[in-house]
Amino acid sequence: MKIGFIGLGRMGSAMATNLLKAGHDVTVYNRSRDKAEALVGEGAKVAATVAEACRGGAVFTMLANDDALSAVVHGDGGVLASLQRNAIHISASTISVALSERLTKEHAAVGQRFVAAPVFGRPEVAAAGKLFVTAAGEPEAIEAVTPLFEAIGQRSFVVGEEPKSANLVKLSGNFLIASVIESLGEAMALVEKGGVDRHQYLDLLTSTLFGSPVYKTYGGLIADRKFNPAGFAAPLGQKDIRLALAAGEALNVPLPLASLLRDRFLTLLAHGGEDLDWSAVGALAAKDAGLGQD
Amino acid sequence: MKIGFIGLGRMGSAMATNLLKAGHDVTVYNRSRDKAEALVGEGAKVAATVAEACRGGAVFTMLANDDALSAVVHGDGGVLASLQRNAIHISASTISVALSERLTKEHAAVGQRFVAAPVFGRPEVAAAGKLFVTAAGEPEAIEAVTPLFEAIGQRSFVVGEEPKSANLVKLSGNFLIASVIESLGEAMALVEKGGVDRHQYLDLLTSTLFGSPVYKTYGGLIADRKFNPAGFAAPLGQKDIRLALAAGEALNVPLPLASLLRDRFLTLLAHGGEDLDWSAVGALAAKDAGLGQD
Amino acid sequence: MKIGFIGLGRMGSAMATNLLKAGHDVTVYNRSRDKAEALVGEGAKVAATVAEACRGGAVFTMLANDDALSAVVHGDGGVLASLQRNAIHISASTISVALSERLTKEHAAVGQRFVAAPVFGRPEVAAAGKLFVTAAGEPEAIEAVTPLFEAIGQRSFVVGEEPKSANLVKLSGNFLIASVIESLGEAMALVEKGGVDRHQYLDLLTSTLFGSPVYKTYGGLIADRKFNPAGFAAPLGQKDIRLALAAGEALNVPLPLASLLRDRFLTLLAHGGEDLDWSAVGALAAKDAGLGQD
Amino acid sequence: MKIGFIGLGRMGSAMATNLLKAGHDVTVYNRSRDKAEALVGEGAKVAATVAEACRGGAVFTMLANDDALSAVVHGDGGVLASLQRNAIHISASTISVALSERLTKEHAAVGQRFVAAPVFGRPEVAAAGKLFVTAAGEPEAIEAVTPLFEAIGQRSFVVGEEPKSANLVKLSGNFLIASVIESLGEAMALVEKGGVDRHQYLDLLTSTLFGSPVYKTYGGLIADRKFNPAGFAAPLGQKDIRLALAAGEALNVPLPLASLLRDRFLTLLAHGGEDLDWSAVGALAAKDAGLGQD
């Protein structure tokens, strides 16, 4: 399938690579062109403009946040202005429910189609083509792009016909992960101050009740106090909690645990956490308890 | 090994049965004698008093809370007064760190030994002999009772030489499970009010990021709104969060997520939740969001 | 002084009336013209358009929220396009810090001046000319409009040279009032369930430690469960807490009590609280405690 | 009236002095005798034992906490064993609702009477005889000791016939004060990081909406970062919030703001706050926001 791919960060580059490996004809675009050039060896064509990446039947966007996505979608030469009639914009970014709703309307108004398809998985998972894709949109559009999902992920889940449903699910998923981080942070602070070794404790947890990779991965980072380099940076985590809260606000859904996470992220950012992994939130309980930060 | 077993609720009966099956000589005691008689067919001897259950090299206690344990340990004819020198009291109940510290001193003062060995697992897990045992105490004492742990559990973890460490770990573990319940409750309220089916949502979660049994079990109960009969009743959950907070207080460890859980449990109990499973806490976010309770 | 006044809700009408009484030449504008006509008897001139209200040396805006203010300021015929060079836009609305910053820049760019002057006081206080004005802006601009502040309020406070400082102070003030509401709600729920009459309790509080009008006013509304008609409606309270949190987010200031209030407001709104006074948040603790709502 | 007074800390000494000044015949007892001797010049008789202070028609107790009160009440030679039939134990300490209930029963069982009469006011207020007395107990007992209340306070409030009601009201009052501290701490952190001077801000608040002494006193301490010496030490504040939460727990009343305060106090104590005034909790929001602590 002839497609475009816009946004070649660590996640986007891995996804585009897997699309190329699966035999798709991919034209890639990135604001800083070097990341696009890096994929030429994999068979990618490089677009000089957003518009050039919008000439196929579908275009992926994988960008950092609402503003970055809006910047490539709106305005002259943007995705909206460039995509052919009936072509599909697949938004894989973690964006707000509000922007998803807006894009759904805007694309429909000009005869294009919009599918939200945010993904779960850190960069190494993306590289392995093992992402989980959470998709929502009109059934026909979803069906048309399913082969693309198969190229980037191990499984895809269709959660509704309104694209925003997928965004809501993605945000809630990141909220759940952040909840794990906070709960592990508190539990480890408690047992550590009570004299139990936190690595031994984590081993017990993950060997018994909490065997899933989320507990192993984030528990390990917290126990090791290894928050650098960031697999998923704290400002992105803060953004996602903000978007989950905003979605809750629009729906009148109080989310006290998300509120607690909000304040944790702000505390982290107020103390130089900009470049840390979001799991650094899991060290704040220990800090409040007066434990050393080693 | 000749041992006693005091406290034959659903958990205790299952554990005593497995000890009998493993060939140990078990004398059982329960306040209401019928539960003790029920184990005669498995080979148990029935003790008419606590003291009669304390004549072997070790005695298990498996009781509902601090008061119940103290009632069998202290006073005339209690465990402390009855156990032989050097015999071991294995406390499998989920009790406070403070009581564990007190019992450690009291047993030592009369030449007895105290091992804390709380367990993770619901009654059906206990029946299958698949509990996880979290143990702490003097290494020699632990070694002496290890065959008993093997009879009741699939694995045991020694987390320290001070018995209270095991109690702290157990409380923190229940806090982690309650955190899962709360986080799932909030996430499901959010996506459900946004139009996503909560069963489908749970399937997505447990097929992807959250495959551990805790998420499947409690997520299922919340999605089904099936809180009756209680596998682990809300007042017990409330007690454990209270004990985790008390442990945190004694150590100056703030636990904001545990505080949130505390208030959730009180809300549940204030609305007739006495007989519900503790996972009913996971329906409160939906209630606050104005969602129906079906 | 020849001025304009845009936004004639209960607060705005009272303020405009006091400006007229003080002898100023006031041209008033309101989207629904009847509220403007109602002030003709007080000496007001009625503007048919926003632009007509912008011909004096200053123009007040007193609108419900960011969107309403932006709607009269931006676009053709808006305040920005209509105000004379050097004239002053006095924004008395409770708006976001972000919009205040934006307006500061926009007015400066076209040679106009911007003063933020949100006010404290409910409609009856506004009618009595007893508002407290919290002002910020360039000293010369502030000085020029001080006679106008004297007409509407009993005292004005200049909190900085950047207009946004006044908005931040206003938002923080509403946060403090909402905190009083929540704390009274919890305290009353506690003592009431313990058998103490809540009116008697409030009398004790306000006769001793908490004699300020805020405690009397809101405590009385909570004790009486009298949330209708709304002096300040719940959605406005929710908005202000949202803006306080947003300001905190922009500055990396965690605000856990404001987060708690956020969730309280959403719970209220999810249960039909749209038309209630914001003090209805003070009845939620009693509801969570299972107390009747009478 | 011939009475005893047990517990001569800063509060107790001031109260006993005012009782002496009002002409009562007061026998004083304190664990460290020097504080008792110090009142001889005011006319006090010094008791060598608790029992000696229990020979009049009433005895005040003013002690730091449940344990201290229980230590003088229970056991050989304690208040319970020493007081005459029909004599009245006036408990002015801030104690738990549970201990108040227990003492009510115990005194009744031996034909004595129990009145709870905790007080509001810092030591300087006690010295001036301006305390507020919150009393509860049987009407006849209350009436009998009313002249004593008049000697120590500016006004007394009878909140019920069950003594525990007064303790609950006292605890709720301290919770309300702590809520003021937290809310001011957050508001000041927000405006300060936004560029507003916190002293100027406090002046605005206390000149407008929040004129009560609580806001002035605690706001001033927070703005000045003057937490030493402690008028009311942080561990006492922590204790009172703990008791308020415990009272809420016994009644199934969730108290999320009290829970937040609990965690704040533990954070303070985990960072060397033992000797600080409880208003130091009001500096934690600024600390979380990354503001300097000067």
Side-chain angles (χ1 to χ4, degrees):
Chain A
M1 189 171 175
K2 179 174 163 59
I3 61 172
F5 201 107
I6 297 171
L8 300 169
R10 289 175 69 195
M11 292 293 293
S13 292
M15 291 158 71
T17 300
N18 282 317
L19 288 161
L20 288 161
K21 282 184 184 161
H24 297 287
D25 174 3
V26 189
T27 302
V28 298
Y29 174 81
N30 196 64
R31 204 171 42 175
S32 57
R33 193 184 169 103
D34 55 327
K35 290 187 177 165
E37 303 284 1
L39 294 176
V40 169
E42 311 283 346
K45 291 167 191 156
V46 176
T49 63
V50 165
E52 282 180 39
C54 293
R55 293 180 185 159
V59 63
F60 270 93
T61 50
M62 185 64 185
L63 296 147
N65 53 39
D66 278 28
D67 285 350
L69 178 58
S70 185
V72 303
V73 171
H74 297 108
D76 290 348
V79 174
L80 262 173
S82 310
L83 213 54
Q84 302 169 44
R85 230 186 131 69
N86 224 28
I88 302 170
H89 173 191
I90 307 164
S91 165
S93 317
T94 300
I95 57 164
S96 70
V97 168
L99 179 55
S100 187
E101 285 187 285
R102 179 182 165 195
L103 293 176
T104 302
K105 284 183 198 157
E106 290 174 337
H107 282 292
V110 294
Q112 300 160 357
R113 295 184 288 174
F114 181 65
V115 167
V119 295
F120 285 106
R122 289 165 75 99
E124 57 275 21
V125 175
K130 296 287 189 192
L131 294 170
F132 291 107
V133 180
T134 305
E138 290 169 17
E140 278 181 42
I142 295 280
E143 196 185 339
V145 298
T146 295
L148 304 177
F149 295 161
E150 287 166 358
I152 60 171
Q154 61 176 289
R155 188 168 164 193
S156 62
F157 295 82
V158 180
V159 296
E161 300 195 4
E162 291 185 282
K164 68 174 177 179
S165 295
N167 301 102
L168 191 61
V169 166
K170 167 66 183 175
L171 293 172
S172 79
N174 279 8
F175 155 69
L176 285 172
I177 297 172
S179 298
V180 170
I181 292 171
E182 171 64 21
S183 63
L184 285 174
E186 294 191 19
M188 283 192 201
L190 178 61
V191 303
E192 182 179 349
K193 205 161 178 189
V196 177
D197 177 80
R198 66 182 185 241
H199 286 92
Q200 191 183 357
Y201 176 66
L202 180 65
D203 177 46
L204 180 156
L205 291 178
T206 55
S207 304
T208 58
L209 297 168
F210 297 101
S212 57
V214 167
Y215 282 82
K216 286 181 185 160
T217 302
Y218 291 106
L221 295 173
I222 298 169
D224 293 344
R225 298 284 188 266
K226 180 167 171 43
F227 305 127
N228 214 319
F232 186 66
L236 294 174
Q238 187 266 330
K239 180 203 74 170
D240 288 357
I241 295 299
R242 176 166 52 78
L243 295 181
L245 287 166
E249 194 168 299
L251 294 163
N252 284 342
V253 179
L255 298 168
L257 178 42
S259 289
L260 166 56
L261 290 166
R262 186 200 100 101
D263 290 314
R264 287 294 204 196
F265 274 108
L266 294 182
T267 300
L268 182 64
L269 295 176
H271 289 83
E274 288 276 323
D275 298 323
L276 301 182
D277 191 71
W278 68 329
S279 54
V281 155
L284 295 178
K287 192 176 167 191
D288 283 349
L291 289 166
Q293 294 301 298
D294 56 331
Chain B
M1 187 171 176
K2 180 174 163 55
I3 61 171
F5 200 107
I6 297 171
L8 301 169
R10 289 175 69 194
M11 293 294 292
S13 293
M15 292 159 70
T17 300
N18 283 317
L19 287 161
L20 288 161
K21 281 182 186 162
H24 297 286
D25 175 3
V26 188
T27 301
V28 298
Y29 174 82
N30 195 63
R31 203 169 44 173
S32 57
R33 192 181 169 104
D34 55 326
K35 289 187 178 165
E37 304 284 0
L39 295 177
V40 169
E42 311 284 346
K45 291 167 190 156
V46 176
T49 63
V50 165
E52 282 179 39
C54 293
R55 293 180 184 159
V59 63
F60 270 93
T61 51
M62 185 64 186
L63 295 147
N65 53 38
D66 278 29
D67 286 349
L69 178 58
S70 185
V72 304
V73 170
H74 297 108
D76 290 348
V79 174
L80 262 173
S82 310
L83 213 56
Q84 304 169 41
R85 230 186 130 69
N86 223 28
I88 302 171
H89 174 191
I90 307 164
S91 166
S93 317
T94 300
I95 56 165
S96 70
V97 168
L99 179 56
S100 188
E101 285 187 285
R102 178 182 164 194
L103 293 177
T104 302
K105 284 182 198 157
E106 290 174 337
H107 282 294
V110 294
Q112 300 161 357
R113 296 185 286 175
F114 181 66
V115 167
V119 296
F120 284 105
R122 287 165 75 100
E124 58 275 20
V125 176
K130 296 288 188 191
L131 294 169
F132 291 108
V133 180
T134 305
E138 292 169 17
E140 278 179 42
I142 295 280
E143 195 185 340
V145 298
T146 295
L148 304 177
F149 295 160
E150 287 167 359
I152 60 170
Q154 62 176 288
R155 189 169 163 193
S156 61
F157 296 82
V158 180
V159 296
E161 301 196 2
E162 290 186 282
K164 69 174 177 179
S165 295
N167 301 102
L168 191 61
V169 166
K170 167 65 183 175
L171 293 172
S172 80
N174 279 8
F175 155 70
L176 285 172
I177 297 172
S179 298
V180 169
I181 291 171
E182 172 64 21
S183 63
L184 285 174
E186 294 190 20
M188 282 193 201
L190 178 62
V191 301
E192 181 179 350
K193 205 161 178 189
V196 177
D197 177 80
R198 65 183 186 242
H199 287 92
Q200 192 183 357
Y201 176 66
L202 180 65
D203 177 46
L204 180 155
L205 291 179
T206 55
S207 304
T208 58
L209 297 169
F210 297 102
S212 57
V214 167
Y215 281 82
K216 285 181 186 160
T217 302
Y218 291 107
L221 295 173
I222 299 169
D224 293 343
R225 297 285 189 265
K226 182 168 168 42
F227 305 127
N228 213 318
F232 186 66
L236 295 173
Q238 186 266 331
K239 179 202 74 170
D240 288 357
I241 295 300
R242 176 167 53 79
L243 295 182
L245 287 166
E249 194 168 299
L251 294 164
N252 284 341
V253 179
L255 298 168
L257 178 42
S259 288
L260 166 56
L261 290 166
R262 185 199 100 101
D263 290 315
R264 287 293 205 197
F265 274 108
L266 294 182
T267 299
L268 182 64
L269 295 176
H271 289 83
E274 288 275 326
D275 298 323
L276 301 182
D277 191 72
W278 68 329
S279 54
V281 155
L284 295 178
K287 193 176 166 191
D288 283 350
L291 288 166
Q293 293 300 297
D294 57 331
Chain C
M1 189 171 177
K2 180 173 161 62
I3 62 173
F5 200 108
I6 296 171
L8 300 169
R10 290 176 68 195
M11 292 294 292
S13 293
M15 291 159 71
T17 300
N18 283 316
L19 287 161
L20 288 160
K21 282 184 184 161
H24 297 287
D25 175 3
V26 188
T27 301
V28 298
Y29 174 82
N30 196 64
R31 204 171 42 174
S32 57
R33 192 183 170 103
D34 55 327
K35 290 188 178 164
E37 303 284 0
L39 295 176
V40 169
E42 311 284 346
K45 290 168 192 157
V46 176
T49 62
V50 165
E52 282 180 39
C54 293
R55 293 181 184 159
V59 63
F60 270 92
T61 50
M62 185 64 185
L63 295 147
N65 53 39
D66 278 29
D67 285 350
L69 177 58
S70 184
V72 304
V73 170
H74 297 108
D76 291 347
V79 174
L80 262 173
S82 310
L83 214 55
Q84 303 169 41
R85 231 187 129 70
N86 223 28
I88 302 171
H89 174 190
I90 307 165
S91 165
S93 316
T94 300
I95 57 165
S96 70
V97 168
L99 180 56
S100 188
E101 285 187 284
R102 179 183 164 193
L103 293 176
T104 302
K105 284 183 198 156
E106 290 175 337
H107 281 293
V110 294
Q112 300 161 356
R113 296 184 286 174
F114 181 65
V115 167
V119 296
F120 285 105
R122 288 165 75 100
E124 58 274 21
V125 175
K130 297 286 190 192
L131 294 170
F132 291 108
V133 180
T134 304
E138 291 169 17
E140 278 179 43
I142 294 281
E143 196 185 339
V145 298
T146 295
L148 303 177
F149 295 160
E150 287 165 359
I152 60 171
Q154 61 175 290
R155 188 168 164 193
S156 62
F157 295 82
V158 180
V159 297
E161 300 196 4
E162 290 185 283
K164 69 175 176 179
S165 295
N167 301 101
L168 190 61
V169 166
K170 167 67 182 173
L171 293 172
S172 80
N174 280 8
F175 155 70
L176 285 172
I177 297 172
S179 298
V180 170
I181 292 171
E182 172 64 22
S183 63
L184 285 174
E186 294 191 19
M188 282 192 202
L190 178 61
V191 302
E192 182 180 349
K193 205 161 177 189
V196 177
D197 177 80
R198 65 183 185 242
H199 286 92
Q200 191 183 357
Y201 176 66
L202 180 65
D203 177 47
L204 180 155
L205 291 179
T206 55
S207 304
T208 58
L209 298 169
F210 297 101
S212 57
V214 167
Y215 281 82
K216 286 180 185 160
T217 302
Y218 291 106
L221 295 173
I222 299 168
D224 293 343
R225 297 283 188 266
K226 182 167 169 41
F227 305 127
N228 215 319
F232 185 67
L236 295 173
Q238 187 265 330
K239 179 203 74 170
D240 289 356
I241 295 300
R242 176 166 53 78
L243 296 182
L245 287 166
E249 194 167 299
L251 294 163
N252 283 342
V253 179
L255 298 169
L257 178 42
S259 289
L260 166 57
L261 290 166
R262 185 199 100 101
D263 290 313
R264 287 293 204 196
F265 274 108
L266 294 182
T267 300
L268 182 64
L269 295 176
H271 289 83
E274 288 276 323
D275 298 322
L276 301 182
D277 191 73
W278 68 330
S279 53
V281 155
L284 295 178
K287 192 176 166 192
D288 283 349
L291 288 166
Q293 295 300 298
D294 56 333
Chain D
M1 189 171 175
K2 181 174 162 58
I3 61 171
F5 201 108
I6 297 170
L8 300 170
R10 288 176 68 194
M11 293 293 292
S13 292
M15 292 159 71
T17 299
N18 283 317
L19 287 162
L20 288 161
K21 281 183 186 162
H24 297 287
D25 175 3
V26 188
T27 302
V28 298
Y29 174 82
N30 196 64
R31 202 170 44 173
S32 56
R33 193 182 169 104
D34 55 327
K35 289 187 179 165
E37 304 284 1
L39 294 177
V40 170
E42 310 285 345
K45 289 167 192 158
V46 176
T49 63
V50 165
E52 281 180 39
C54 292
R55 293 179 184 160
V59 63
F60 269 92
T61 50
M62 185 64 186
L63 295 147
N65 54 37
D66 279 27
D67 285 351
L69 178 57
S70 184
V72 303
V73 170
H74 297 108
D76 291 347
V79 174
L80 263 173
S82 310
L83 213 56
Q84 303 169 42
R85 231 186 130 69
N86 225 28
I88 302 170
H89 174 192
I90 307 164
S91 166
S93 317
T94 300
I95 57 165
S96 70
V97 168
L99 179 55
S100 188
E101 286 187 284
R102 179 183 164 194
L103 293 177
T104 302
K105 284 182 197 157
E106 290 174 336
H107 282 293
V110 294
Q112 301 161 357
R113 295 184 286 175
F114 181 64
V115 167
V119 295
F120 284 106
R122 287 165 75 100
E124 57 275 20
V125 175
K130 296 288 187 190
L131 293 170
F132 291 108
V133 180
T134 305
E138 291 170 16
E140 278 180 42
I142 296 280
E143 195 186 340
V145 298
T146 295
L148 304 176
F149 295 161
E150 287 166 359
I152 60 172
Q154 62 176 289
R155 188 168 163 193
S156 62
F157 295 82
V158 180
V159 296
E161 301 196 3
E162 290 186 282
K164 69 174 178 180
S165 295
N167 301 102
L168 192 60
V169 166
K170 167 66 183 175
L171 293 172
S172 80
N174 279 9
F175 155 69
L176 285 172
I177 297 172
S179 298
V180 169
I181 291 171
E182 172 64 21
S183 63
L184 285 173
E186 294 190 20
M188 283 192 201
L190 179 61
V191 302
E192 182 179 348
K193 204 161 179 189
V196 177
D197 178 81
R198 66 182 185 242
H199 286 92
Q200 191 184 356
Y201 176 66
L202 180 65
D203 177 46
L204 180 155
L205 290 179
T206 55
S207 305
T208 57
L209 298 168
F210 297 101
S212 57
V214 168
Y215 281 82
K216 286 181 185 160
T217 302
Y218 291 106
L221 295 174
I222 299 169
D224 293 343
R225 297 285 188 265
K226 181 167 169 45
F227 305 127
N228 214 319
F232 185 67
L236 295 173
Q238 187 266 332
K239 179 202 74 169
D240 288 357
I241 295 300
R242 176 167 52 78
L243 296 181
L245 286 166
E249 194 168 299
L251 294 163
N252 283 342
V253 179
L255 298 168
L257 178 41
S259 289
L260 166 56
L261 290 166
R262 185 199 99 101
D263 290 314
R264 287 294 205 196
F265 274 108
L266 295 182
T267 300
L268 182 64
L269 295 177
H271 289 84
E274 288 275 325
D275 298 323
L276 302 182
D277 191 72
W278 69 328
S279 53
V281 156
L284 295 178
K287 192 175 166 191
D288 283 350
L291 288 166
Q293 294 300 298
D294 57 332

